Amino acid sequence: MPSSIIKIFICLTICTFSFASSISQNTKKPKNIILLVGDGMGLSEISSSLYFNDKPSNFLRFSTVGLSMTSSSKELITDSSAGATAFASGIKTYNGAIGVDLKMNPAETIVEHVSKTDIATGLVVTSSVVHATPAAFYAHQESRRMYEEIAVDLVKSDLDFFAGGGLQYFQNRKDSLDLVKQLEDNDFEVHTEKLPTKISAKKQAILLAPNGMPKMSEKRGNFLTNATMLAIGQLSKNKNGFFLLVEGSQIDWGGHDNDAEYLINEMIDFDKTIGAVLDFAKNNGETLVIVTGDHETGGFTLSADGMNYNKIIASFSTTGHSATMVPVFAQGPSEELFDGVYQNTKIFAIMKQLFDQK
């Protein structure tokens, strides 16, 4: 890596920690934090929710916006696992790493940290629950492809609620372990057929697809919004507060496929979920909502159709990820801390300190 890039990393890392340590004791602290990650979501993806949505985009409801630098420790362009580990553990690590540092040592996650003080935790995703982004919040593995090992980590984790796909990694495994039974033995109520409308006081495991959830075009419906609100309702019962990760996972997959319709459909679904979360937070008054991407995927562009400036053409420059910075939106107690330009690790640093200083 060029020395100039290294110097920038060092400078911004120092700035991140000094900024986080300067959070005033007088700053209003949130009781709950909801982190919504649009996987592969850059500024053009966000813009598509303005132009292709039949309703006003919920991104217009934010007044605090920052920019996050997403490079991983060894690569200028991150992957989802290193990007999520930055959010979950506050460290820069190598592409492919799940909750481990450069020497493959486990790095404490925000889920593990806040669970020590009996804060409830959960995640809702449209991928498999053992996919890179959700995995980084509870697992510690040297490779994101170690799905069965990651599933074991999930069973042993501190999570109180999770919903998404990935059932195949809990049943009919190569090692013959029945992780569904292990979840039940760990006081989880397990759902594998449909999203429940009523749930018990037990911890909740919702696994509704063998791997990733269906696309929106395959009639996934309101799963992301409904599962998110189900999670919020359950986690809100905890008097000490909660942390919830919500991922619009398949925005990224549409970018990799260079499929604009796929990407935009997933983006609009994510936007709808953001709206429901913002409505909850407004009524609740004690919840900080953070919305960002782990990186941008596809080099997605919204351009004019030649000289016709009233027609937008969606196009791509790559089937991989890009190096562009991604926006960070925040609303709720302490939202002002997310102003500026910073490394993605700062998001963890602020969340951790806000929970620690409640």
Side-chain angles (χ1 to χ4, degrees), residues 248-324:
S249 317
Q250 296 188 39
I251 300 165
D252 175 69
W253 300 357
H256 281 298
D257 289 350
N258 283 187
D259 186 333
E261 183 178 6
Y262 183 9
L263 183 158
I264 292 167
N265 284 340
E266 297 296 328
M267 189 67 229
I268 291 173
D269 180 51
F270 186 56
D271 184 293
K272 179 179 179 180
T273 302
I274 293 168
V277 170
L278 288 175
D279 289 344
F280 162 79
K282 181 178 180 180
N283 291 328
N284 174 261
E286 297 182 300
T287 300
L288 172 64
V289 179
I290 310 162
V291 182
T292 190
D294 49 355
H295 54 76
E296 193 278 334
T297 301
F300 186 56
T301 303
L302 301 175
S303 58
D305 183 11
M307 295 302 294
N308 183 352
Y309 282 23
N310 281 316
K311 184 175 181 182
I312 294 174
I313 299 295
S315 60
F316 299 88
S317 63
T318 179
T319 57
H321 298 172
S322 68
T324 183

Side-chain angles (χ1 to χ4, degrees), residues 19 27-28 64 288 330 332-340 346 350:
F19 186 93
T27 300
K28 185 178 179 182
T64 298
L288 172 64
S334 300
E335 67 178 76
E336 67 278 3
L337 300 176
F338 293 89
D339 274 335
K346 179 179 172 180
I350 297 175

Side-chain angles (χ1 to χ4, degrees), residues 87-99:
F87 295 152
S89 296
I91 62 169
K92 291 284 188 178
T93 192
Y94 61 91
N95 285 354
I98 294 291

Side-chain angles (χ1 to χ4, degrees), residues 188-249:
F188 272 91
E189 186 173 79
V190 181
H191 307 269
T192 61
E193 298 295 327
K194 62 181 180 179
L195 187 69
T197 54
K198 294 183 180 180
I199 53 179
S200 72
K202 287 186 173 184
K203 295 185 288 186
Q204 298 294 313
I206 301 169
L207 297 164
L208 302 185
N211 201 350
M213 293 292 292
K215 302 176 182 179
M216 283 302 292
S217 61
E218 296 169 340
K219 303 187 184 218
R220 187 174 73 232
N222 291 323
F223 165 80
L224 185 60
T225 301
N226 292 344
T228 296
M229 298 316 295
L230 188 68
I232 289 172
Q234 184 80 342
L235 299 176
S236 293
K237 296 174 184 176
N238 182 25
K239 64 180 182 180
N240 296 315
F242 68 84
F243 169 78
L244 175 64
L245 167 73
V246 179
E247 185 190 35
S249 317

